[in-house]
Amino acid sequence: YRMKSLASGEVAIYDSLGQSVHLTHGGIVIQGAGLPITIHGDIKLNGSLDATGDVTAAGVSLMNHLTAGVKAGADQSGKPIRT
């Protein structure tokens, strides 16, 4: 595996599995080659997050969570329930 077509001034690190970090003129592209990407430590995001799959926080799925205390009408439901 070797990265091809790097533009002038772009930089990339890669391995034989297809994992890579590519610093492009349009942004940073990280490829996990089907393997998980693990970050240790806190993440501070100044901007939007666009996810194509589900997002889970403290065991609560953003797409599939249940909520406690659901009532009819204009009342608000309770907090999400961990699944």
Side-chain angles (χ1 to χ4, degrees):
Y1 177 81
R2 185 169 179 88
M3 297 202 64
K4 297 176 175 83
S5 303
L6 292 178
S8 177
E10 291 186 346
V11 177
I13 58 172
Y14 55 89
D15 68 8
S16 62
L17 299 175
Q19 301 173 102
S20 64
V21 177
H22 183 189
L23 307 181
T24 75
H25 294 301
I28 300 171
V29 179
I30 301 172
Q31 296 288 345
L35 299 169
I37 298 171
T38 303
I39 299 171
H40 295 278
D42 296 336
I43 297 174
K44 184 173 187 175
L45 176 66
N46 294 314
S48 299
L49 175 66
D50 182 8
T52 58
D54 194 7
V55 175
T56 303
V60 177
S61 161
L62 186 61
M63 294 174 64
N64 300 304
H65 67 274
L66 302 174
T67 52
V70 177
K71 298 177 184 175
D75 285 346
Q76 294 183 354
S77 63
K79 292 183 179 183
I81 301 169
R82 290 183 185 189
T83 54

